[in-house]
């Protein structure tokens, strides 16, 4: 932890998540990722405000339950990824392209999962307000909750795509033997 950082400060997690908005080929930040992941929720918020959307308290309570449970699941995923990173660090693997790729994937997954957990916590707080609010409080909290929910769905889709691509890549390597090395007897590399 850097000097002056407060322990519950989420900015490091948010910045780590934003650093994943890059083009894999060029390494440059993808503006379209920011526009989609942050712009669409702004449009949802503005649309809900313009249409005077008010979530019924039962819907707010349901969304509160879903976001609360999802937050717990994502927090567990963050802890699991931390354990996996510690195991990787202690495994004695030699630094190289494959090890670096694995480390980068773990780092990006933990950034995305940690961020998504934070978003869930924020959404849950907004849905609490929406479930008990009325008039302008209900209107604003409904619009904000649905906007955060839209953002959360996009972040979760990003995580799913990252995990899917990683899994497909690893399974392709297993099927094609891409990780075989030229050793006597055709043994696998360690």
């Amino acid at each position: 932890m850097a000097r002056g950082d407060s322990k519950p400060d989420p900015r490091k997690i948010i910045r780590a998540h934003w650093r994943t908005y890059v083009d894999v080929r060029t390494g440059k930040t993808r503006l379209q990722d920011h526009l989609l992941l942050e712009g669409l929720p702004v449009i949802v918020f503005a649309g809900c405000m313009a249409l005077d959307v008010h979530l019924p308290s039962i819907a707010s309570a349901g969304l509160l339950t879903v976001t609360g449970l999802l937050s717990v699941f994502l927090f567990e995923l963050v802890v699991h990824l931390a354990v996996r990173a510690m195991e990787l660090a202690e495994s004695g693997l030699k630094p190289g392209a494959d090890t670096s790729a694995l480390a980068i994937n773990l780092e990006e997954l933990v950034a995305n999962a940690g961020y998504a957990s934070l978003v869930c916590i924020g959404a849950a707080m907004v849905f609490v307000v929406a479930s008990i609010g009325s008039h302008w409080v209900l209107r604003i909290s409904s619009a904000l909750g649905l906007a955060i929910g839209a953002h959360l769905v996009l972040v979760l889709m990003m995580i799913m795509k990252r995990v899917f691509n990683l899994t497909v890549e690893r399974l392709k390597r297993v099927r094609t033997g891409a990780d075989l090395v030229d050793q006597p007897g055709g043994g696998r590399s360690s």
Side-chain angles (χ1 to χ4, degrees):
M1 197 161 86
R3 179 185 279 182
D5 282 350
S6 132
K7 289 190 187 224
D9 186 354
R11 288 179 294 183
K12 189 172 185 177
I13 296 168
I14 294 167
R15 284 191 299 267
H17 169 73
W18 283 342
R19 281 193 302 272
T20 68
Y21 294 3
V22 295
D23 186 304
V24 175
R25 291 178 302 262
T26 66
K28 294 184 180 186
T29 300
R30 292 173 41 106
L31 179 61
Q32 62 265 37
D33 287 348
H34 283 283
L35 290 174
L36 176 64
L37 288 155
E38 289 140 23
L40 183 62
V42 170
I43 292 168
V44 169
F45 178 80
C48 288
M49 290 298 289
L51 296 171
D52 196 26
V53 172
H54 293 80
L55 285 173
S57 60
I58 190 78
S60 296
L63 290 168
L64 166 64
T65 302
V66 168
T67 55
L69 291 171
L70 188 55
S71 178
V72 170
F73 169 75
L74 289 164
F75 181 75
E76 174 60 30
L77 177 58
V78 169
V79 171
H80 175 76
L81 290 169
V83 169
R84 182 69 180 113
M86 287 182 265
E87 289 171 350
L88 180 64
E90 295 171 1
S91 70
L93 285 174
K94 292 184 177 24
D98 286 344
T99 307
S100 291
L102 179 57
I104 289 168
N105 281 315
L106 283 173
E107 184 178 337
E108 290 181 349
L109 277 172
V110 77
N112 295 151
Y115 177 81
S117 186
L118 287 172
V119 172
C120 285
I121 292 166
M125 291 188 297
V126 172
F127 290 130
V128 165
V129 173
S131 69
I132 61 173
S134 61
H135 307 296
W136 65 269
V137 171
L138 175 58
R139 181 179 181 204
I140 293 171
S141 59
S142 294
L144 186 58
L146 292 172
I148 294 171
H151 179 64
L152 179 61
V153 167
L154 293 171
V155 171
L156 292 174
M157 288 172 61
M158 186 174 87
I159 293 170
M160 284 188 281
K161 183 177 178 187
R162 183 181 306 282
V163 171
F164 177 81
N165 287 342
L166 179 62
T167 303
V168 168
E169 172 202 325
R170 297 298 173 166
L171 291 175
K172 182 178 178 184
R173 288 181 65 195
V174 169
R175 277 194 320 273
T176 63
D179 58 345
L180 292 176
V181 295
D182 293 327
Q183 296 177 356
R188 291 192 177 271
S189 62
S190 50

